[in-house]
Amino acid sequence: FCATLGTTPCCSFDKLLELGPICNKENIWMHIDAAYAGSAFICPEFRHLLNGVEFADSFNFNPHKWLLVNFDCSAMWVKKRSDLIGAFKLEPLYLQHHHQESGLVTDYRHWQIPLGRRFRSLKLWFVLRMYGVKGLQEHIRKHIRLSHQFEHLVLQDERFEICAEVVLGLVCFRLKGSNQLNEALLKSINDAKKIHLVPCHLREKFVLRFAICSRTVESTHIQFAWQHISQLATDLLKTWEQNHHQQ
C-alpha cells in the first residue's frame, strides 16, 4: 500500500494515522511516497504532516526536487533492511569477503538488483555541508512564503479561485468558468514563454498549478508572474466574450 505525502496534482496529504494501523493490522507493507514534500520536514513547523510515519515499512523522498541537489537523488528508508536484503542478496563465492557477517559493513549491492550504484550520497553531502540545516530550512520557508504571496494575489482578483489548500510551495488556481476557458488560459501562458505552468484535474475541474521551485526566485518574480497571468486573462476574457456574442 502506498500512501502519499504531497501528491503531484495538488500537494494533498494522506492520513497516515488512519491508514497506518489498518496496514499494520492486516500485515500490508505500507510505503510512503513523499517525493516533493519530504524535504519540508527538515522544518519543525511542517513535521506534523509526518505524523503516523512510525506505521510505515518504507519511506522515500527526492532531494533533487526541493533540497537543492542536482538530479537525480532519491533517498529511501526501510524499517527492516532484512526484507530488502532477503529479496536481492546475491553471494557467489567470488563476491564473498571476511567482513560480511560482522555487521560492521553495509553491502548496498544486496539492496537492489544491479551490483553497482552511483555515488549520489556525495552530492547530497556537499549540499548539506554548503548550506547547513539553517540554510536549507530558509530555502524551504522562502518558497512557502512566496507561494502564500501568490495565493494572496489570486484571492484579490475575483475572476479567479483557489482550488486546494496551499500547504507548501504549490498553488492550484483557475479562472472561474469552464474547463475550456482555463485550457485556453494555460495555452496562452505557455505560448508566451515568460513562465511555464503545468495543469491538473481536481474534481473534474481543469486547474492551473503554480509551483515555486527555483533556487533564485524572489518576490519580484512572483509579482511579475501574476501581472503576466492577469493580463493574459484579461485579453482572453475579452476575446471569449466577443466570440460568445458573435455566436
Side-chain angles (χ1 to χ4, degrees), residues 113-158:
I113 293 174
L115 294 176
R117 59 168 54 215
R118 293 171 57 192
F119 196 4
R120 294 175 177 87
S121 54
L122 183 62
K123 58 187 177 185
L124 177 58
W125 181 84
F126 272 117
V127 170
L128 294 173
R129 285 297 300 266
M130 183 174 177
Y131 284 88
V133 173
K134 288 184 179 178
L136 291 170
Q137 287 175 335
E138 177 50 35
H139 169 70
I140 297 289
R141 287 166 177 156
K142 178 183 181 181
H143 280 191
I144 295 172
R145 284 197 305 270
L146 293 175
S147 73
H148 287 294
Q149 178 188 344
F150 185 81
E151 177 192 24
H152 180 68
L153 291 169
V154 174
L155 289 172
Q156 285 182 314
D157 190 328
E158 60 183 16

Side-chain angles (χ1 to χ4, degrees), residues 30 96 101 131 135-137 143 153-154 165 190 209 212:
M30 183 163 105
Q96 293 178 18
E101 301 302 333
Y131 284 88
L136 291 170
Q137 287 175 335
H143 280 191
L153 291 169
V154 174
E165 181 185 359
N190 289 341
R209 299 165 65 260
I212 298 172

Side-chain angles (χ1 to χ4, degrees), residues 160-218:
F160 287 86
E161 60 183 339
I162 296 291
C163 304
E165 181 185 359
V166 179
V167 181
L168 299 179
L170 176 69
V171 182
C172 294
F173 72 107
R174 71 194 299 274
L175 276 170
K176 295 173 182 175
S178 68
N179 286 346
Q180 290 79 8
L181 177 65
N182 282 280
E183 288 172 14
L185 176 59
L186 179 69
K187 187 176 187 307
S188 66
I189 291 170
N190 289 341
D191 284 352
K193 297 182 180 178
K194 301 285 187 184
I195 61 173
H196 184 79
L197 301 185
V198 175
C200 71
H201 274 111
L202 295 178
R203 300 181 185 88
E204 300 182 358
K205 286 185 176 181
F206 186 90
V207 172
L208 282 62
R209 299 165 65 260
F210 188 85
I212 298 172
C213 44
S214 170
R215 182 178 62 86
T216 56
V217 67
E218 299 291 345

Side-chain angles (χ1 to χ4, degrees), residues 5 13-14 16-17 32 34 37-54 59 66-67 133-134 136-138 140-141 144 167-168:
L5 298 180
F13 292 80
D14 286 333
L16 302 182
L17 289 170
I32 293 177
S39 297
F41 303 146
I42 65 171
C43 301
E45 64 268 31
F46 300 114
R47 216 161 284 159
H48 67 276
L49 297 168
L50 199 55
N51 289 346
V53 69
E54 63 272 14
F59 177 96
W66 206 16
L67 213 58
V133 173
K134 288 184 179 178
L136 291 170
Q137 287 175 335
E138 177 50 35
I140 297 289
R141 287 166 177 156
I144 295 172
V167 181
L168 299 179

